[in-house]
């Protein structure tokens, strides 16, 4: 178990926003992650929401732009923001495009050279970082997961592949069927190779057919999102959920785009969705 | 009266965040400003809060980081964010430091060359831009003013110098006595020259003695703000307000710093302060 080093701290809504650096064995590099600890964490361990960010993001975007701390502080919910890819590895071509390599880890375990030695974000966000966070921070081990765009894809696959690990899942504008869209096809081809059976292990619209646990799933999607038709394909996931008898709440939000202004408009409802599943809103169940 | 050109729009909390470009006569250059229009503005004109930003900011920082849109949408309050200095003027030395020139207009009218032809942010934010906004946007003309750091200074001097123009004023971490701190001394020397009588026309702690109207003033200041002692000097304003019998609510916030994480933590209370003065919270008076 690696140690962690505090990079910064900042008071926010009576709690603390902190950033930590640690050495990741899964990724083979140093990583920074951010955490919001609500005021309740000063007296007792609290549950956590994992937030997975989208293409080009780091651990910082969500904390700066989503406006989630206000409601999280009221609920007593920690939020943990991992980075979106390994850092400092300097692999050939790693920084050449916004939608592959650095900032675009796609929350999978790569099998192809040169990515396989470092691009193991799935192991990092589902196994290694939770152990680090639960060891060093005042968390009670109960958690849920959410994310935006590429991170919405990440949240969905992490939930579908790990029965018992999360109490609820949600996503904003997720890449619902990466095996069938340009962003995903590029990433899966290069990280995973051309075996489509391997791809199906990282595609929410295919994984949902095999999910062993039916978690509350909430998805918000803006109708004015420039990536909606070509890249995000919520209809693919909706059809798959119907076929798999998996309960999905998909809300199309008239006029909203792909930005964090959209996320911030509805983040409180997502936090409440998770708080209900985590038992933070007594008398209510999701 | 110049026309305005919409640069972008984005739906947010049921309202719209829009950015406009226009040609400013006061500044002699093209400027961009941002506005949040709450959903209520679709059916009737609404009052506005003017937000003046701090050093290095543009019109965008507040809208991205402060998390104000949620409460503004509930209240039916528009928010207008001007830029912090003229743009595109390319004066000698204009871009050499973060605390003077571009991004650091200090909301005054410069009298010294080469600044006097363009650095007239006071006229811009108190006269020209309100006329532009009230002409082209669904605003009812009633307004209040607030800001952060250099923008807190701006909000205070605009309020103190313009009886009847604003219904209330507030500030986060304002530069309370620029004539007595390094940021202000540099700016006033270069924009205004060495006549300290001229400086006193742009210093909140001096202007308050001559303010003809006693507006509700709310100031929040973090105790862990790195600029508190050397640059911000809320104690100077507090003493001046006591001497001038001017009602000031100054709240020292334990552990908070100078960032927008501080602003976001208390922005709702500032919006409510202004909403009461603007008559948006029936049955309450500030």
């Amino acid at each position: 178990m690696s140690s962690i080093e505090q990079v910064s701290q900042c008071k926010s809504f009576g709690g603390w926003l902190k950033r930590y650096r640690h050495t990741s064995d899964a990724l083979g590099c140093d990583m920074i992650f951010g955490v919001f600890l609500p005021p309740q964490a000063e007296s007792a361990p609290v549950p956590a929401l994992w937030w997975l960010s989208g293409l080009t993001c780091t651990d910082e975007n969500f904390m700066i732009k989503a406006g989630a701390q206000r409601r999280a502080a009221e609920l007593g919910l920690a939020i943990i923001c991992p980075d979106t890819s390994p850092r400092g590895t300097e692999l050939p071509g790693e920084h050449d495009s916004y939608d592959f390599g650095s900032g675009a880890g796609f929350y999978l375990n790569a099998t192809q050279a040169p990515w396989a030695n470092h691009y193991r974000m799935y192991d990092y966000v589902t196994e290694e970082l939770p152990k680090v966070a639960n060891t060093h921070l005042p968390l009670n081990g109960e958690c849920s997961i959410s994310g935006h765009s590429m991170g919405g894809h990440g949240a969905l696959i992490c939930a579908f592949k790990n029965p018992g690990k999360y109490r609820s899942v949600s996503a904003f504008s997720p890449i619902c069927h990466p095996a069938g869209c340009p962003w995903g096809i590029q990433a899966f081809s290069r990280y995973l190779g051309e075996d489509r059976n391997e791809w199906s292990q990282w595609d929410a619209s295919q994984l949902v057919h095999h999910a062993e646990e039916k978690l509350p799933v909430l998805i918000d999607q803006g109708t004015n999102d420039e990536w909606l038709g070509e890249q995000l394909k919520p209809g693919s996931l909706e059809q798959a959920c119907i076929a798999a008898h998996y309960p999905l709440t998909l809300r199309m939000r008239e006029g909203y785009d792909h930005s964090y202004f959209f996320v911030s408009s509805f983040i409180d409802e997502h936090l409440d969705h998770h708080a209900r599943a985590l038992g933070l809103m007594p008398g209510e169940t999701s």
Side-chain angles (χ1 to χ4, degrees), chain A:
Chain A
M1 174 61 59
S2 66
S3 61
I4 65 175
E5 169 200 357
Q6 185 172 301
V7 175
S8 66
Q9 69 169 6
C10 171
K11 198 166 181 182
S12 171
F13 288 95
W16 290 92
L17 174 59
K18 303 192 181 200
R19 301 179 71 214
Y20 294 97
R21 182 183 292 111
H22 73 122
T23 299
S24 166
D25 295 331
L27 305 178
C29 63
D30 282 1
M31 295 291 286
I32 291 178
F33 66 96
V35 59
F36 174 70
L37 292 171
Q40 294 86 341
E42 306 223 346
S43 50
V46 295
L49 176 67
W50 288 86
W51 176 268
L52 304 184
S53 294
L55 291 168
T56 76
C57 289
T58 70
D59 66 291
E60 294 196 285
N61 303 65
F62 179 82
M63 296 297 192
I64 292 171
K65 296 181 173 183
Q69 292 92 328
R70 187 191 67 86
R71 186 71 181 133
E74 289 176 353
L75 292 165
L77 178 63
I79 302 175
I80 308 175
C81 293
D83 204 342
T84 55
S85 74
R87 298 292 176 179
T89 46
E90 304 304 333
L91 302 175
E94 189 178 24
H95 311 311
D96 290 354
S97 64
Y98 80 97
D99 55 0
F100 183 81
S102 56
F106 271 84
Y107 304 104
L108 49 71
N109 292 333
T111 59
Q112 305 297 300
W115 316 105
N117 287 341
H118 295 288
Y119 277 71
R120 303 182 61 81
M121 287 297 295
Y122 177 75
D123 281 356
Y124 178 67
V125 301
T126 60
E127 296 293 338
E128 185 183 27
L129 191 55
K131 284 181 189 149
V132 169
N134 287 325
T135 299
H136 294 285
L137 302 174
L139 305 174
N140 69 10
E142 298 289 339
C143 64
S144 292
I145 191 164
S146 185
H148 175 231
S149 194
M150 177 184 74
H153 143 75
L156 292 169
I157 66 168
C158 288
F160 292 161
K161 288 164 77 80
N162 290 280
K165 190 179 285 283
Y166 307 102
R167 300 280 284 273
S168 51
V169 56
S170 77
F172 289 86
S173 331
I175 303 173
C176 290
H177 180 32
C181 78
W183 278 340
I185 291 169
Q186 173 186 232
F188 286 11
S189 299
R190 297 179 68 183
Y191 290 136
L192 302 171
E194 295 302 337
D195 178 0
R196 298 268 169 155
N197 288 326
E198 175 69 13
W199 292 21
S200 69
Q201 302 307 306
W202 308 100
D203 182 292
S205 295
Q206 296 176 71
L207 285 167
V208 70
H209 292 289
H210 313 289
E212 294 174 22
E213 181 189 35
K214 290 189 166 44
L215 283 181
V217 180
L218 171 64
I219 294 178
D220 273 311
Q221 172 63 56
T223 63
N224 200 31
D225 186 326
E226 66 184 301
W227 310 110
L228 174 54
E230 184 183 10
Q231 303 282 10
L232 305 178
K233 299 186 185 295
S236 297
L237 181 62
E238 190 173 36
Q239 289 304 311
C241 285
I242 290 169
H245 303 289
Y246 198 105
L248 167 69
T249 301
L250 170 61
R251 306 187 295 197
M252 298 303 291
R253 298 293 196 175
E254 181 64 31
Y256 286 89
D257 65 15
H258 197 69
S259 73
Y260 265 98
F261 292 113
F262 167 55
V263 173
S264 66
S265 295
F266 300 103
I267 190 68
D268 284 5
E269 295 178 35
H270 284 238
L271 295 176
D272 288 353
H273 166 77
H274 297 296
R276 280 189 290 271
L278 289 161
L280 292 174
M281 297 172 80
E284 294 190 53
T285 54
S286 186

